[in-house]
Amino acid sequence: MKKVYQFIAFALVAIIVSSCSITREVEKNAAPIAFTEMHNYFVNNTFSTKKIYRKAINSESEFRTIFGEAAVMGANGQPTPINWKRQFVLAVVAPETDTQTQMYPLSVLQNGNAIIFNYKVDKGSKMSYTMCPYVAVVLDRPSTNAQLEIYWNEK
């Protein structure tokens, strides 16, 4: 029985290492693509997750189950516009936390049908309330109907 557990542990480590090397290989020859960081939205209180939720969102109805608009006064107070016929969203939503957490995009790269979304998470001090941090970017849809392979990298 001990050998079975050792084999399972070894297999899991091998899978993790190989998936990291696949991402590095795809990223090595990838080129940056233009994106728009999504601003002035919030995660709906009807949406909850116990672990990091990563999703490519292709429709407004799917988007509305996760996000709501949070317009504020001022020059840049309107939510980022999304044209669902020409664009889609890559979103990462973290579980609710009472730790000050900021997530932001670093880059979006493309290598053929593979898209790599690199983002950063900064954690701060404890707060007296909870928040549901997220990072999301708006991308133009590809000109072909090829199936995209999305890789998510927290750096």
Side-chain angles (χ1 to χ4, degrees):
M1 192 63 149
K2 185 176 181 183
K3 289 189 182 232
V4 171
Y5 288 127
Q6 288 175 339
F7 176 75
I8 291 171
F10 176 75
L12 288 173
V13 169
I15 289 169
I16 291 170
V17 169
S18 68
S19 69
C20 292
S21 64
I22 289 170
T23 303
R24 275 191 229 114
E25 188 65 32
V26 170
E27 196 170 9
K28 182 171 35 170
N29 299 319
I33 59 174
F35 67 89
T36 303
E37 184 176 3
M38 206 172 76
H39 291 288
N40 297 333
Y41 288 92
F42 62 89
V43 177
N44 290 327
N45 61 4
T46 56
F47 179 83
S48 75
T49 182
K50 299 290 182 202
K51 59 181 183 172
I52 294 281
Y53 179 81
R54 298 174 180 103
K55 180 81 173 155
I57 304 170
N58 292 302
S59 71
E60 185 173 7
S61 61
E62 186 179 16
F63 180 81
R64 296 284 176 216
T65 62
I66 302 170
F67 295 102
E69 294 183 355
V72 295
M73 293 183 71
N76 296 318
Q78 292 300 310
T80 304
I82 303 166
N83 180 340
W84 291 104
K85 291 181 181 175
R86 294 186 319 101
Q87 299 173 312
F88 69 105
V89 172
L90 295 180
V92 179
V93 180
E96 192 173 296
T97 181
D98 64 349
T99 302
Q100 178 65 38
T101 305
Q102 185 171 13
M103 301 172 75
Y104 51 92
L106 297 174
S107 64
V108 180
L109 308 170
Q110 185 169 11
N111 183 350
N113 290 340
I115 292 181
I116 304 117
F117 180 27
N118 296 309
Y119 63 95
K120 184 157 178 70
V121 178
D122 285 335
K123 294 191 177 193
S125 57
K126 288 277 188 199
M127 304 179 301
S128 61
Y129 58 93
T130 61
M131 65 181 291
C132 195
Y134 76 90
V135 60
V137 294
V138 180
L139 300 170
D140 288 337
R141 289 189 188 277
S143 56
T144 65
N145 286 334
Q147 183 68 26
L148 294 176
E149 216 173 313
I150 311 290
Y151 295 93
W152 312 86
N153 288 330
E154 181 182 331
K155 301 233 177 181

